[in-house]
């Protein structure tokens, strides 16, 4: 039986297409930036559906997805497509078996936040009710860490660096690449979307307040 | 006769669905935040329709509403649904019999405003023509108080604190929870929407001007 | 022959409805703020079509227009409708016979701009290419004056004050009311829309730059 | 055979219409600002399709395009239309044979950026992952120069000044006119759109950060 005909698969694909369109409308995917993926349904859970490279998200459609194995190589039938340059980050994150879906946004808010706090390497997010949108967080008084990694074109080295952090911080739900934006994930597409919106919202708030606080006393 | 078949009820439900969709489009309900309710039409005016918990407002539809009594317990037929964690704030506000509808937004503007002015506890809004959108206000020279309460996960205690303030300030049309956003209400859904838009507009203006004023002289 | 059946009239009404919907989508008409009008086509040019009071612009439709004479009184058939409280500003502006359409926006940008520069009373706009969108302006080097009047609930007195300024500055294409927003007009609805967009664009730019300039040196 | 009936031509026209509508929705074409063009398909590659002057981009449609020769004169059949006042900038840019499409945006972000950095004459853009959206750029560590020219109503002189710069900097993909906005181009409409979105995104980020950096230490 072909995976493309699984009803579950079609539902996941439709769900991700809706998310991609929504995020594009918000301005979170300028030029041909961003990439998105989900873990394929059983019994194909060691394979992944990922956006192929270089597509304007204004026009992204089902045919722009491709399937890869857990090393990032195209599955048979997809060899003619080019996976995102950042596929290695996705496959690394899927080594944590809870990861079911990964969304990468490239918003002004996340880019500015990542550059402004770049030197801090880790920012603590606290005092925002919306933090309760993060799985496992039950109060705004919780402190959620968001690490900021140096951006790099050497995805293998970057992936290794993030893997080490993730192995030591398995509750991590997202990270920033400096000047590059946000990766967030979850145990479902809906949860990954929720986590993305939580982070983006807090970045917008903190960016606005950063302007105030630097000059007040 | 079933309340769901009352024509008035259908109209209220449709009106609130439109408001929820509009506010979501404005970015006022990130992740699965926010909740909304209205007082059911006579002779059911001691029961309320409220959004159930944890729904992404992108997809909110009629089936995501539920009915509760004046203590926040689900009415028969709705026991399988989970009311918003903040249902206690709604039922408290409905003790003032004029309250016909309550809208809770979770915008960047209200969140930033609530955190920046948190220590002041009450902010006076004045000099804005749009204040005339608040019921009973006839001039921009009026001063409208917006209290900011500490956010809390203990909704019963929070509700009690706000109740005391409301009983002493019965003209209050909205309040802020720090880091959590705005509650606003009115004698109709249209009025609650108008009040919400007045407050959100003023928060946006004052946030922009706060940046200027802190640094000027 | 009834004015409502003039083809010209229908075209004007449709054109203004489209502008009202567009401006609402931009967030320029929060709560039930703003009002709009045009001079009726010949031979009815001494009467005007104006938005009636208190309508949420999300829902504004043809039935929400009403007709008034040059003193702001409803024409026969419209006595049951309430013209905008600011009708006196419209009829005053129509005394200049070139005025064919008037748009009043209530944006965050114009409100903030009007409050920040309130004490200056008149702001010179210069150096913006978009100024060429103002009728009679052929270069970005031109300087266009935008006066800021104190907001007032005494529309008759306010109208008189603005009339005096207008009579001495007949090229004026718009003014601000402090904390209240922008009035702009033109020799057609299209020109009034163009003027509105020019002013709103410059206010947004200058608000952003104001933040920079106050703190730089 | 008439160029208007070439299938390639229809595709280009449709593609540009979609871009114009998208950019208008983003607020990048206030009043009747901005202009757009593409090189006609072979064997008509020395002629160009360009937006005619003074059209509100809210309503821009196929009939608002016109064809010009490489000196900016209307082709037969288009003499009744008025090409954009800035047509000379387009024809100058098309002297570089790689230029297939030119987009001019007039956003708040590009206008503010152009005025804030006006005196620097050239701004280096670096550290943004989105720079990889510029043709020939493979790393965020690249530095892309964006020159800012004084705005001028003497398009011939302005065109000559930019031509000299372009001849010495043939990799240039865009420039700013102070207080006037961005011109960007590419070897296809899709590439010109990508370049525009890269620049606009970076301007938004840098404008936000400029506010922080001027006041920090």
């Amino acid at each position: 039986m072909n995976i493309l005909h699984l009803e579950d698969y079609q539902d996941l694909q439709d769900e991700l297409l809706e998310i991609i369109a929504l995020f594009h409308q918000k301005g979170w995917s300028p030029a041909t930036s961003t990439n998105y993926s989900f873990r394929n349904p059983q019994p194909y859970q060691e394979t992944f559906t990922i956006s192929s490279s270089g597509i304007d998200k204004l026009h992204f459609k089902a045919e722009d997805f491709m399937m890869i194995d857990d090393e990032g190589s195209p599955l048979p039938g997809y060899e003619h497509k080019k996976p995102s340059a950042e596929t290695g980050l996705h496959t690394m994150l899927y080594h944590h078996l809870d990861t079911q879906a990964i969304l990468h946004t490239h918003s002004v808010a996340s880019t500015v936040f990542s550059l402004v706090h770049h030197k801090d390497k880790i920012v603590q997010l606290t005092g925002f009710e919306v933090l309760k949108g993060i799985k496992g967080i039950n109060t705004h008084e919780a402190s959620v860490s968001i690490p900021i990694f140096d951006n790099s074109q050497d995805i293998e080295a970057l992936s290794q660096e993030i893997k080490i952090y993730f192995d030591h911080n398995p509750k991590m739900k997202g990270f920033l690449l400096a000047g590059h934006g946000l990766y967030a994930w979850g145990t479902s597409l809906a949860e990954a979307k929720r986590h993305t919106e939580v982070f983006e919202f807090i970045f917008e708030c903190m960016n606005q307040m950063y302007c105030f606080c630097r000059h007040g006393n």
Side-chain angles (χ1 to χ4, degrees), chain A residues 7 24 35 44 49 197:
Chain A
E7 198 180 322
H24 183 268
N35 38 72
Y44 304 96
T49 293
E197 292 184 11

Side-chain angles (χ1 to χ4, degrees), chain A residues 24 35 66 72 84 97 147 152 165 188 195-197 202 217:
Chain A
H24 183 268
N35 38 72
M66 63 182 297
S84 164
L97 297 179
S152 171
Y165 184 91
S188 66
H195 289 169
T196 303
E197 292 184 11
I202 293 175
N217 35 34

